[in-house]
Amino acid sequence: MTEQAALTRNAVLEQLEKLEKSGVEHVPIEHVRALVNLIRDFFEGNDAPATARFDEELYGELGHLARFINDAQKHLSELAPGDLQEEKLPEASDQLDAIVKMTEQATGRIMDSCEQVEGLLTGLRERVRESGMDPDTLAGIESTVDDISAYMTGIYEACNFQDVTGQRIMKVVDVMREIERQVLRMVIVFGLRKQNKVDEKKRQEITKDAELLNGPQLEGKGLAQDDIDDILDALL
Amino acid sequence: MSVDKNMRVLVVDDFQTMRRIIINLLRQLGFNNVTEAQDGRAALERVRAEKIDLIISDWNMPNMTGIDFLKEVRKDAALKGIPFIMVTAEGKKENVIAAVQAGVNNYIVKPFNAATLKEKMTKVIGEF
């Protein structure tokens, strides 16, 4: 703001303050006229050359800004955010969803088989006990059955992975859906429509990308059971 | 006094696979009297409908989370004495503290094994 404009503005504010403090219900017309004149001076600017310079600088800055937005729009357009939002991100999310579903199904099948084996082991144990075989042979068979049962426990323990990886992948899917929403906003704001259909090569790239998203190795980031036990010992 | 392995255990988890894993591990440990629920709300209905001796619950579930379920159990005079073990992937210190403040008896972080489950159950219900 120029010095003259600042002086005019201060004069306007001063007049307004006077009017407010005067407490009169009806403001004399000459006071209103004086105020209007001051405001007009402020907007029209009695210091025309300075205002012109100010306007020139402002227009210059606005020009820079417009070119920057234009360049950004061009670069964003080259990135094909429409494809990203409409095809790549949803497809990557779907791939991750599919991984969760497939591992869940596979784990279910492993558990089905384990339960079948356990049923057979229980039956076998009963039959050998009722068979009247010699104690040493019976003990040997029971020991083997116990070993198999311990291995079954190991399989159940290992099946934990499905729940943990599933939860991690769903977190990644949530993040991707948020990115998708943000890209959609960008597409709308910048008017960046979809550039072209994703060709087969790009589709393969998407699949490759999705396959890479197997979840980061997070060991050491959360607490281990020992750390949790320490906290529990201190709190319980 | 030894633990009655016929005690009624409620396993709560929204992942059916996880419920099966815990139920099978419990069976391996000799606990066959097990019932299950898929979230905190269903679990709360279950504990109000039948006598439950031990609850093993996940934290992160739809409808009602494990921590909210725990708080409801501890608020209810008829249920507040039921031992409660949280089994969860939430492995942050603030989660453990929140669970303890809500009245949890022990806390297992996923993935876990049968030995950890046995050790925690022993701490909560006694030797078996």
Side-chain angles (χ1 to χ4, degrees):
Chain A
M1 186 181 290
T2 65
E3 196 180 334
Q4 182 60 42
L7 286 170
T8 313
R9 190 197 64 173
N10 290 343
V12 170
L13 292 175
E14 210 172 289
Q15 277 294 109
L16 281 171
E17 198 178 359
K18 269 186 197 168
L19 283 175
E20 275 172 4
K21 284 182 179 169
S22 66
V24 293
E25 269 186 48
H26 303 288
V27 180
I29 189 68
E30 58 269 26
H31 289 188
V32 176
R33 193 173 290 127
L35 190 60
V36 168
N37 286 337
L38 281 170
I39 294 169
R40 192 167 49 212
D41 284 351
F42 179 74
F43 282 109
E44 288 178 352
N46 288 332
D47 54 342
T51 307
R53 275 201 307 279
F54 172 70
D55 287 348
E56 205 175 308
E57 282 172 26
L58 181 66
Y59 289 136
E61 285 303 318
L62 285 172
H64 283 305
L65 194 59
R67 277 192 294 280
F68 175 78
I69 291 170
N70 198 39
D71 287 349
Q73 191 174 3
K74 199 175 151 199
H75 290 141
L76 287 170
S77 164
E78 283 165 6
L79 290 172
D83 284 348
L84 193 68
Q85 184 267 325
E86 284 179 36
E87 303 213 14
K88 290 181 183 175
L89 286 172
E91 190 161 344
S93 296
D94 290 348
Q95 295 276 6
L96 291 172
D97 273 337
I99 290 170
V100 174
K101 284 195 182 81
M102 282 178 74
T103 54
E104 194 173 353
Q105 284 166 2
T107 310
R109 284 200 296 274
I110 293 168
M111 304 274 287
D112 289 344
S113 299
C114 286
E115 285 166 10
Q116 293 288 330
V117 173
E118 283 218 286
L120 292 172
L121 285 178
T122 305
L124 180 66
R125 208 188 289 268
E126 284 168 6
R127 275 165 56 194
V128 293
R129 277 177 189 163
E130 289 164 1
S131 68
M133 65 176 60
D134 70 276
D136 284 350
T137 311
L138 179 65
I141 292 173
E142 285 203 323
S143 170
T144 304
V145 169
D146 287 344
D147 287 347
I148 296 170
S149 195
Y151 287 124
M152 302 307 293
T153 305
I155 296 173
Y156 291 133
E157 288 170 357
C159 286
N160 262 306
F161 88 94
Q162 196 277 323
D163 182 67
V164 178
T165 53
Q167 287 193 40
R168 283 181 183 169
I169 290 173
M170 291 319 290
K171 278 183 183 174
V172 175
V173 169
D174 285 345
V175 170
M176 291 185 66
R177 294 211 164 115
E178 180 55 30
I179 294 170
E180 203 179 307
R181 277 191 290 274
Q182 297 300 331
V183 172
L184 176 63
R185 284 184 60 194
M186 193 172 76
V187 167
I188 292 167
V189 168
F190 286 98
L192 302 167
R193 291 180 317 181
K194 195 175 149 195
Q195 301 301 300
N196 46 32
K197 281 276 174 194
V198 177
D199 61 23
E200 192 51 36
K201 196 179 166 193
K202 280 186 178 173
R203 191 176 295 280
Q204 283 172 2
E205 281 171 13
I206 292 164
T207 310
K208 274 184 191 170
D209 286 347
E211 281 170 357
L212 286 172
L213 292 168
N214 283 326
Q217 186 58 262
L218 297 178
E219 267 189 35
K221 269 213 157 181
L223 295 181
Q225 185 66 50
D226 286 347
D227 301 321
I228 285 169
D229 290 347
D230 289 343
I231 297 168
L232 291 172
D233 285 343
L235 295 173
L236 288 174
Chain B
M1 199 175 83
S2 65
V3 166
D4 176 12
K5 285 195 172 180
N6 201 34
M7 64 161 50
R8 187 78 162 153
V9 183
L10 172 62
V11 174
V12 191
D13 201 301
D14 55 329
F15 269 90
Q16 192 203 5
T17 308
M18 200 64 218
R19 295 201 300 273
R20 284 180 73 182
I21 291 168
I22 297 173
I23 290 168
N24 277 303
L25 290 175
L26 284 169
R27 198 188 302 143
Q28 300 253 331
L29 295 172
F31 294 82
N32 291 301
N33 189 9
V34 183
T35 186
E36 58 186 296
Q38 80 276 14
D39 58 43
R41 195 156 66 194
L44 195 59
E45 283 172 18
R46 187 63 57 83
V47 289
R48 283 175 177 158
E50 64 172 301
K51 186 179 176 295
I52 298 292
D53 302 304
L54 172 66
I55 297 167
I56 298 175
S57 175
D58 183 26
W59 181 308
N60 193 3
M61 296 179 287
N63 300 323
M64 184 186 282
T65 63
I67 192 84
D68 287 339
F69 170 47
L70 169 61
K71 286 174 185 170
E72 289 297 322
V73 167
R74 292 293 179 251
K75 268 200 304 200
D76 191 320
L79 309 175
K80 66 180 179 185
I82 302 174
F84 196 115
I85 299 175
M86 193 75 84
V87 181
T88 174
E90 304 293 340
K92 290 181 183 160
K93 189 177 177 181
E94 50 266 36
N95 289 105
V96 186
I97 293 169
V100 170
Q101 284 171 344
V104 83
N105 296 94
N106 222 304
Y107 195 103
I108 299 173
V109 67
K110 293 177 186 172
F112 64 99
N113 57 32
T116 304
L117 180 63
K118 186 179 181 189
E119 183 200 328
K120 300 300 171 187
M121 284 176 65
T122 302
K123 281 190 175 171
V124 172
I125 59 174
E127 289 287 341
F128 58 87

